[in-house]
Amino acid sequence: MTDHVHDLRSVREATDRLLTAVAKLDNAALAEESHLPGWTRGHILAHLARNADALVNVFEARPMYESAEARDADIARDAGRSLEEHLTDLRDSGARFLATTEPDQDWSRTVELRNGVTDLAANVPFRRLVEVELHHVDLNVGYELHDLPEEFTDREIAFLADRWSGRPDVPPVTLTAHGGPVWHTGGPQGTPVTLSGPKDELLGWLAGRGRKGARLSVEAGDGLPELPAL
């Protein structure tokens, strides 16, 4: 059962870590490349701020984004701002998101996200946590997949394994963490594959980040499967 109170506390802590890291940068660093192809660090920070506002829309039963084009335009518009502007926007948008979660509400209700995706309101705080944590890694400022809290890593692996389950374009995959749990993902077609390794490598493969599973041990199948884009 999702504990949204716990997740909201984790969002606050992760946001504080992010803001502390970003405050050490300068304007020139924001224009440098991130780990995400085609995006500078400024693009990532702009996306994080606008995502917070988009989740306010979700809680208030409005469309998450006006359109995909408007979402992309907002990120492009804000990417080149100064460090001070980015920090202020990150703090303010994050505070607006948290404020929206404070009133009494039905956390068991279904809310609509992007592209017709629906979820329980109680799961939205974890979705925001995913944005903050993974994009902190994407910033390329020294915060890596192995630095993520273990609880978060376990939950995100389980979430992404579920996301890829039943997909005909992904073979049956068993994910085995060193000294840890086992997850299953993929569809019913193709040769079964077992991937073994550290949790951060498993997460990197599932999320298309880091070395994308380059250090995983692959058993059976036709090598490391290529996942579709998230």
Side-chain angles (χ1 to χ4, degrees), residues 99-120:
T100 307
T101 70
E102 291 174 355
D104 290 337
Q105 55 191 291
D106 178 10
W107 286 95
S108 67
R109 74 188 187 279
T110 298
V111 295
E112 184 171 349
L113 302 162
R114 290 183 68 196
N115 303 322
V117 173
T118 60
D119 203 349
L120 297 180

Side-chain angles (χ1 to χ4, degrees), residues 40-171:
T40 66
R41 294 187 178 108
H43 283 89
I44 289 177
L45 299 181
H47 164 63
L48 280 170
R50 300 290 68 78
N51 173 263
D53 286 337
L55 292 178
V56 170
N57 290 336
V58 167
F59 274 117
E60 296 182 350
R62 295 189 296 271
M64 186 170 178
Y65 293 101
E66 180 180 330
S67 66
E69 294 77 15
R71 170 186 176 275
D72 293 345
D74 286 347
I75 294 170
R77 178 198 65 207
D78 295 342
R81 297 178 305 178
S82 69
L83 175 63
E84 182 178 354
E85 289 173 308
H86 275 297
L87 285 170
T88 298
D89 196 14
L90 284 169
R91 291 192 190 97
D92 291 351
S93 59
R96 286 192 294 271
F97 167 73
L98 292 174
T100 307
T101 70
E102 291 174 355
D104 290 337
Q105 55 191 291
D106 178 10
W107 286 95
S108 67
R109 74 188 187 279
T110 298
V111 295
E112 184 171 349
L113 302 162
R114 290 183 68 196
N115 303 322
V117 173
T118 60
D119 203 349
L120 297 180
N123 292 333
V124 173
F126 181 69
R127 286 179 175 271
R128 175 59 181 173
L129 180 62
V130 170
E131 293 288 328
V132 175
E133 288 284 30
L134 289 187
H135 284 314
H136 189 166
V137 172
D138 293 334
L139 279 174
N140 188 20
V141 292
Y143 189 69
E144 304 296 339
L145 290 171
H146 62 257
D147 295 314
L148 294 166
E150 185 173 12
E151 180 200 15
F152 170 81
T153 298
D154 286 348
R155 289 180 65 188
E156 181 63 354
I157 289 174
F159 175 82
L160 290 173
D162 181 69
R163 179 169 182 167
W164 297 123
S165 290
R167 291 283 296 261
D169 48 352
V170 180

Side-chain angles (χ1 to χ4, degrees), residues 1-9 101 107 121-126:
M1 190 73 176
T2 300
D3 183 349
H4 66 274
V5 175
H6 170 79
D7 289 346
L8 286 168
R9 184 165 57 249
T101 70
W107 286 95
N123 292 333
V124 173
F126 181 69

